[in-house]
Structure formats: structure tokens, C-alpha cells
Amino acid sequence: MEWFSYLEQQTDLLITNLGISTEWAVYCRVLLFTVFLVILSSFAFFVTKRIVIHYLYKIFRKTSFTWDDLLIEKKVFDNLAHIVPALFVNIDPRYFQGF
């Protein structure tokens, strides 16, 4: 993953140009990546919950099957929306390199 090493180098360069020592640059990089990951996961959850599941419920309400109405009543897909941010959190261990 060449893009990750490029991103890591640019982040370290930005942090050291701000006057932070190289010992603390690793911790700052991990903090920045973690904050970015939280924002990305929150956005993915919002999109899944508000847009994808909303349209999925619309489609299921139009069908003649009764089992999908039961899934809507039990809010199964609302709970499945929590899986999407977990997929973003399941990241490459190189993000936390140096620990």
C-alpha cells in the first residue's frame, strides 16, 4: 500500500514542521488517524442509517412478503447499520505502527 506510506510521510512532515519533536510525532500521527477514523465511521453510520436503510424499508414495504415486514417491525436493519462503522474500524495494523 504505497498510498499509506505516502500519507504517513506527509503527516509526519506536517507534524514536525509544526515544531513537534520526532518522538511525539508518532503519537500525534496516531491521534490524527484515530480522529479521522472516528469521523469517517460516524459519517458511514449516518449514511447507512439515514439513507440506505430508509430506502431499504421503502422497498420492503412495497413487497408482498410478510417476513420482511417482520424484519422491519423488529428493526433488524437498524441494528445492522452498526456493522458498517465496524468495517471502517477494522483497519490495517500499520496505522498503529510503533506501538
Side-chain angles (χ1 to χ4, degrees), residues 13-89:
L13 182 65
L14 175 71
I15 291 170
T16 53
N17 283 342
L18 291 174
I20 298 174
S21 68
T22 55
E23 293 94 25
W24 284 97
V26 175
Y27 299 111
C28 291
R29 183 184 69 225
V30 169
L31 179 66
L32 285 174
F33 285 153
T34 304
V35 168
F36 176 73
L37 186 64
V38 167
I39 292 170
L40 182 66
S41 297
S42 299
F43 180 73
F45 177 74
F46 176 77
V47 167
T48 304
K49 184 85 166 176
R50 299 289 180 197
I51 297 173
V52 174
I53 293 185
H54 175 73
Y55 286 112
L56 196 63
Y57 281 169
K58 277 186 169 181
I59 292 170
F60 283 165
R61 285 188 186 112
K62 292 180 181 180
T63 64
S64 61
F65 299 115
T66 56
W67 60 269
D68 58 0
D69 295 333
L70 182 64
L71 293 176
I72 292 172
E73 287 176 21
K74 299 294 182 182
K75 298 188 181 215
V76 172
F77 296 104
D78 288 343
N79 294 329
L80 285 177
H82 293 93
I83 292 176
V84 174
L87 295 175
F88 283 100
V89 172

Side-chain angles (χ1 to χ4, degrees), residues 1-12 94:
M1 294 242 209
E2 189 174 306
W3 64 270
F4 179 75
S5 61
Y6 174 75
L7 181 65
E8 188 177 42
Q9 290 171 356
Q10 293 300 318
T11 306
D12 284 340
R94 287 182 288 174

